[in-house]
Amino acid sequence: MRVIVVNSGSSSIKYETFDLATLSAASKGLLERIGTQDSRLKHRRLDPSGKWEEINETRPISDHREGFSFILEVSARSRSGSEMAEIFGVGHRVVHGGEKFREPAIIDDAALGAIEELIPLAPLHNPANVTGIKVMRDLLPRVPQVAVFDTAFHQTMPPRAFHYALPAEFYRSFGVRRYGFHGTSHQYVAGAAARHLGRPLAKLNLITLHLGNGASAAAVEKGKSIDTSMGLTPLEGLIMGTRSGDIDPAVHFYLQRKTGRPFGEIEDILNKESGLKGICGMNDMREIQKRAREGDGRAELAFEMFCYRVKKYIGAYYAALGTVDATVFTGGIGENSALVRSRTCEGLSGLGITLDENANSAAAGGIREIQTEESRVKVLVIPTNEEHEIARQTVEVIGKAKGQKQ
Ligand code: ADP
């Protein structure tokens, strides 16, 4: 039997299927450009010899319903013939679970209604997630479906960390507070770190750094998130590919007064034209590192600013936690850029963090330790796998629900 993990975006659907018994990936794919004449599906499946086989198809797809049907059709048609035949459950990535969802939830009408009510908090993401849920419920009515929330892992933050210093009315009436995102990734790498270190997660203090195009840091105390850098929205915190991260909130008003542009436009600039792209015109860290090496001053500044911001958060979360067992790097940049890891950890020996530069720059996959022997704090590189974590939680939640029924 299979578990399907679905990440439904506004014009794309990403999916992965896992073998129920082993939770190993069996097929995965991405359908892009939904709503156009040339929607492209890239479907990959593991053939019996253990090699990935790829199918590429282009056809007009007008909406998500057609999109999911197309995916199910291509999957069923591929060689095993029954790839989607027996589906144990579907796990949906849902960006915002507000305060309502502290854990993954079986999707019934009430849960779906609650996710829809949260749309004002995540207007860019939750609507597409809701569409994906509705379509999959229609297409596979007998298969249990589970929502796994990006915010849920951070629901353990104490009030001193999640409140903003604003009139209390805004929290009470509009839910204005820190929620945090990337929770599935922070939770996955925290669990993987505990297994790697051979210690119970409930006894570990970790600083987890998810550094990708979107980036966030989390302070994990005894396995629970006690603070994280993203806030009401994913705009706060670290410098990202195109998002500013922390800035003085007065910048918005100043810009509005100076440029006369409406707040909607300024919001767009902060989300889509800022961060690394705003500083140097590029949002791809590989490209930035290459240009910085060639002497491009703006690229160098973007790189330095990115690493300096991460370092400041390590310091802040070290203080919040008191003692730290390990710092974990993950995400496209965290996993692959030795230079970012090196610059970020530079000068942290006073905190007991020192990198072994040979281990750091060694080309290796999988989980690895990159600290020196003297380093009090372990420094780990752990490839994240949000889809796997969603599949694991989906199986757990469905198992529990079935257990309760019996
Ligand atoms: P997303 O948040 O979209 O999932 P990823 O986690 O895939 O993004 O991270 C994308 C980022 O990772 C890009 O900035 C990319 O340049 C960076 N990256 C990937 N490989 C490397 C590498 N070898 N060195 C530096 N940066 C890298």
Side-chain angles (χ1 to χ4, degrees), residues 14 182 210-215 241 276 283-289 330-338 340 384 386:
K14 204 172 154 200
H182 287 149
H210 178 108
L211 311 179
N213 211 9
L276 296 170
N283 65 343
D284 189 297
M285 186 53 90
R286 266 168 304 205
E287 180 75 12
I288 290 171
Q289 288 181 186
T330 193
I333 298 172
E335 291 165 33
N336 297 304
S337 176
V340 165
T384 194
E386 289 162 278

Side-chain angles (χ1 to χ4, degrees), residues 89-117:
V90 181
H92 294 266
R93 174 190 182 214
V94 178
V95 167
H96 218 305
E99 288 186 328
K100 168 106 189 149
F101 295 101
R102 302 177 69 88
E103 293 192 335
I106 295 265
I107 299 168
D108 53 17
D109 291 345
L112 184 57
I115 297 169
E116 284 185 300
E117 275 171 26

Side-chain angles (χ1 to χ4, degrees), residues 162-321:
F162 76 67
H163 276 299
Y164 289 122
L166 291 170
E169 156 73 9
F170 295 148
Y171 169 62
R172 282 199 302 269
S173 301
F174 309 118
V176 176
R177 52 159 284 178
R178 176 184 309 288
Y179 292 95
F181 299 87
H182 287 149
T184 314
S185 177
H186 289 291
Q187 188 170 8
Y188 175 83
V189 296
R195 282 192 298 281
H196 171 81
L197 297 171
R199 295 176 55 190
L201 182 56
K203 292 204 168 142
L204 282 182
N205 283 1
L206 306 167
I207 297 171
T208 51
L209 303 164
H210 178 108
L211 311 179
N213 211 9
S216 66
V220 180
E221 185 179 63
K222 299 189 167 60
K224 301 213 181 313
S225 173
I226 60 155
D227 207 347
T228 191
S229 57
M230 284 177 167
L232 173 75
T233 76
L235 185 55
E236 195 180 343
L238 303 179
I239 293 173
M240 306 177 218
T242 62
R243 296 189 199 123
S244 64
D246 297 335
I247 56 170
D248 180 345
V251 169
H252 308 61
F253 319 123
Y254 182 74
L255 277 180
Q256 201 277 327
R257 280 197 301 272
K258 276 291 191 196
T259 65
R261 291 163 102 162
F263 277 122
E265 269 183 35
I266 293 171
E267 186 179 11
D268 259 7
I269 292 171
L270 295 176
N271 273 296
K272 297 180 189 156
E273 304 295 332
S274 301
L276 296 170
K277 184 177 177 195
I279 306 162
C280 71
M282 294 168 276
N283 65 343
D284 189 297
M285 186 53 90
R286 266 168 304 205
E287 180 75 12
I288 290 171
Q289 288 181 186
K290 180 168 163 280
R291 296 286 281 275
R293 264 198 313 275
E294 292 163 2
D296 178 334
R298 303 302 302 174
E300 211 172 309
L301 178 65
F303 176 81
E304 293 295 339
M305 285 173 67
F306 181 90
C307 298
Y308 178 61
R309 180 74 55 86
V310 178
K311 182 195 288 226
K312 285 208 295 188
Y313 268 91
I314 294 176
Y317 288 167
Y318 206 114
L321 290 164

